[in-house]
Amino acid sequence: MIDQPYAYQRRELTEPDWRRFPGWAGVTGAQWESAQWQRAHCVKNLRQLREVAGPGLSDAFCADLERDQRERATMSMLVPPQMLNTMVPAAGPGEPGFTDAFYADPVRRYMIPVFSDRRTDWPSHPYAARDSLHEAEMWAVEGLTHRYPTKVLAELLPTCPQYCGHCTRMDLVGNATPTIAKHKFGLGRDDRLAAMIAYLRATPGVRDVVVSGGDVANLPWPRLEAFVADLLDVGSIRDIRLASKALMGLPQHWLGDEVRAGMERLGARARERGVSIAIHTHVNAAQSVTPLVARAAQAMLDTGIRDVRNQGVLLRGVNDSPEALLDLSFALLDDAKIMPYYLYMCDMIPGSEHWRLSLAEAQHLQHRIMGYLPGFATPRIVCDVPYVGKRWVHQVSRYDTDLGISYWTKNYRTGIEASDELALSREYPYYDPIYVLPESGQQWWRDRDRDRSPELTLVP
Ligand code: SF4
């Protein structure tokens, strides 16, 4: 046996025992597998977290969490029991060292961020922004982002069954936090969805629709089914992707009778019309892949849809090592039959610096994970460059590693660049977190921050 940098091991999926949490000691298997029970028992605040975890979670941790929610959080707290149960899967709050293990847990780090997780030197990059991908600027109709030539993103609703601390759509998704008010859609839901369908009927160049939010698992099933059925009636649409982190966070939803029967109807209609439907989910850590998640993915594949794929986010402290990324990919592929597809670099939203990696780190990780998985299941690490779109991390055009600025080019125009002659020759910048830069680069940013010099506008 050759000694390899990564040693593959087939690992059996396990559902951690939820009864180790004092608040769930009497919860039955039937309750646990009910989507309604899961939704009704989501943890939405510190008080509820304490009720579930009991006194095993230290006061210091609770104060740390409370301060983050008051001063830093861009997302309100919403954690389904299914997700909380995958944190510290092998120990209960009554065991010594539980709080330390909870602090260190990869799922906790992005679902329940605390103040001490964040950077104090540069909590946000100077170029961080709400709606950092400028999706709303590219809305063809409200909620429908037309950013690429042949595909669109339909944001059907602004809620999810779970809220991730690093959410890219923090501008729109979830409840307001003490520091962040949320953008509200102007049109009512049905008018918005009807306007999207009308735009797609009138725009035959679009062949691929990402149906997202938020998370489509929060749309009442009949409304989602009707929207997807309308899409299937638009002759030019060949690919439909339903975006739902809930396939992992609340697999009970996708295992429900109404949803399965509805997906079977959609799957049959899609096959009749030669259209591919896939579900795209969002899993960041191997421990999140449990037998229930595998059952939900299999149930969806059994409806005859084309695929279930994962779009994870590369996050420091969560999955920033080759081992973590390969463990995740094999957990998805081996038993859950979920295709590892993309790993996004964490976007430049406020308060995200402690989660973000530099481009150089991402390139290094991409190199380290090559060759272990089948080529078709080797996730590509991508940088979503503002005004450009997703780019594989090795597609950078120029990279100043001292200042942590990478420059990218593009080969298509978005709707807002129809008459922009420089759109295809301009270089668009992306920024590494400042604290990882060499001292000279960090000093440059400190000086810039002090001087706010106008010539440092970085988009030529
Ligand atoms: S599930 Fe997706 S849209 Fe919802 S909070 Fe998480 S990252 Fe944001």
Side-chain angles (χ1 to χ4, degrees), residues 1 8 36 46 57 108 135 148 211 213 268 339 402 429 432:
M1 204 58 178
Y8 167 71
Q36 207 183 357
L46 178 55
L57 198 58
R108 194 288 301 161
E135 289 178 330
Y148 298 95
V211 182
M339 186 69 74
D402 192 54
D432 288 343

Side-chain angles (χ1 to χ4, degrees), residues 259-273:
V259 174
R260 287 166 76 153
M263 281 299 292
E264 262 164 34
R265 287 188 292 273
L266 289 175
R269 198 151 161 182
R271 279 195 305 284
E272 243 172 61
R273 296 180 187 206

Side-chain angles (χ1 to χ4, degrees), residues 142-448:
E142 194 178 46
L144 189 79
T145 303
H146 196 163
R147 188 155 73 118
Y148 298 95
T150 63
K151 50 189 179 173
V152 293
L153 163 77
E155 295 164 307
L156 300 196
L157 75 172
T159 67
C160 307
Q162 64 283 306
Y163 290 135
C164 316
H166 64 277
C167 180
T168 290
R169 300 210 177 98
M170 47 70 68
D171 186 40
L172 178 76
V173 168
N175 305 311
T177 70
T179 54
I180 302 284
K182 301 282 166 158
H183 179 85
K184 298 274 180 253
F185 284 129
L187 292 175
R189 186 190 69 195
D190 287 346
D191 289 344
R192 216 160 13 86
L193 271 51
M196 289 178 187
I197 296 290
Y199 177 80
L200 292 169
R201 284 191 188 120
T203 317
V206 173
R207 61 168 303 289
D208 176 6
V209 182
V210 176
V211 182
S212 186
D215 186 320
V216 296
N218 262 17
L219 201 61
W221 178 262
R223 190 64 194 92
L224 179 61
E225 185 173 343
F227 184 80
V228 177
D230 283 347
L231 290 180
L232 287 167
D233 284 340
V234 180
S236 47
I237 293 172
R238 313 312 299 153
D239 268 295
I240 298 172
R241 311 185 239 168
L242 307 179
S244 178
K245 186 182 177 98
L247 189 82
M248 174 275 282
L250 190 69
Q252 294 84 350
H253 170 84
W254 291 98
L255 284 165
D257 292 342
E258 184 189 26
V259 174
R260 287 166 76 153
M263 281 299 292
E264 262 164 34
R265 287 188 292 273
L266 289 175
R269 198 151 161 182
R271 279 195 305 284
E272 243 172 61
R273 296 180 187 206
V275 176
S276 297
I277 295 184
I279 293 183
H280 282 211
T281 193
H282 168 189
V283 190
N284 297 332
Q287 70 207 61
S288 301
V289 186
T290 72
L292 266 170
V293 175
R295 263 171 57 195
Q298 189 60 55
M300 290 302 104
L301 291 170
D302 289 347
T303 66
I305 62 167
R306 163 97 185 242
D307 211 350
V308 179
R309 308 186 183 110
N310 185 51
Q311 303 187 177
V313 180
L314 184 61
L315 297 162
R316 195 180 300 283
V318 175
N319 54 20
D320 58 333
S321 69
E323 293 73 27
L325 295 178
L326 288 168
D327 285 353
L328 167 62
S329 301
F330 282 115
L332 291 165
L333 192 61
D334 278 352
D335 292 307
K337 307 289 176 242
I338 299 174
M339 186 69 74
Y341 168 47
Y342 270 159
L343 290 159
Y344 287 97
M345 294 178 68
C346 178
D347 290 319
M348 292 180 54
I349 52 142
S352 66
E353 288 309 272
H354 67 293
W355 279 309
R356 297 203 310 121
L357 273 72
S358 68
L359 177 69
E361 290 174 298
Q363 289 173 329
H364 180 67
L365 283 170
Q366 181 75 75
H367 174 75
R368 294 280 303 275
I369 64 173
M370 298 304 289
Y372 289 90
L373 292 145
F376 60 82
T378 302
R380 261 173 296 163
I381 304 181
V382 291
C383 180
D384 208 337
V385 182
Y387 293 119
V388 174
K390 283 172 276 298
R391 285 289 179 271
W392 185 42
V393 287
H394 285 287
Q395 282 183 281
V396 63
S397 144
R398 241 169 2 108
Y399 186 14
D400 181 336
T401 50
D402 192 54
L403 301 185
I405 308 175
S406 49
Y407 297 89
W408 307 77
T409 55
K410 61 194 283 189
N411 55 337
Y412 45 75
R413 290 187 164 82
T414 59
I416 58 173
E417 294 156 340
S419 54
D420 181 349
E421 287 183 7
L422 295 179
L424 305 190
S425 55
R426 180 185 289 122
E427 286 187 317
Y428 297 80
Y430 191 80
Y431 305 97
D432 288 343
I434 292 169
Y435 75 96
V436 302
L437 302 180
E439 178 47 33
S440 53
Q442 293 195 34
Q443 190 55 49
W444 185 88
W445 282 100
R446 284 193 287 269
D447 293 345
R448 172 207 166 276

Side-chain angles (χ1 to χ4, degrees), residues 114-136:
V114 293
F115 188 85
S116 64
D117 290 337
R118 313 238 187 207
R119 300 294 307 178
T120 48
D121 48 1
W122 297 93
S124 300
H125 192 280
Y127 283 105
R130 302 171 58 123
D131 190 12
S132 69
L133 302 179
H134 306 278
E135 289 178 330

